[in-house]
Amino acid sequence: MTTREREVLAALGQGLSNAALAEELSISEATAKTHVSRVLAKLDCASRVQAAIRAREAGLV
């Protein structure tokens, strides 16, 4: 997982929406959606909630 994807995962762990995530990371909302999709695929998660739980378990939040 890339550094940016770890940042996105941490943001998911905080419960941020795509729009809020994009604003926090200074990227477009479309780019945020792409990163979220890649994080979900790499972690084999079916939802943002599952990814958020993994972020918390990993101590990213």
Side-chain angles (χ1 to χ4, degrees):
M1 187 172 292
T2 67
T3 301
R4 179 61 92 184
E5 289 168 344
R6 284 191 295 276
E7 293 170 345
V8 169
L9 180 57
L12 289 175
Q14 295 171 24
L16 297 183
S17 66
N18 287 338
L21 191 156
E23 186 175 327
E24 182 170 307
L25 299 179
S26 300
I27 58 177
S28 73
E29 191 170 346
T31 301
K33 289 178 183 180
T34 298
H35 284 309
V36 169
S37 294
R38 289 183 179 159
V39 167
L40 294 178
K42 285 185 177 184
L43 295 178
D44 195 29
C45 292
S47 70
R48 297 169 72 95
V49 174
Q50 284 182 323
I53 291 168
R54 293 226 180 144
R56 289 183 180 271
E57 289 173 348
L60 296 175
V61 181

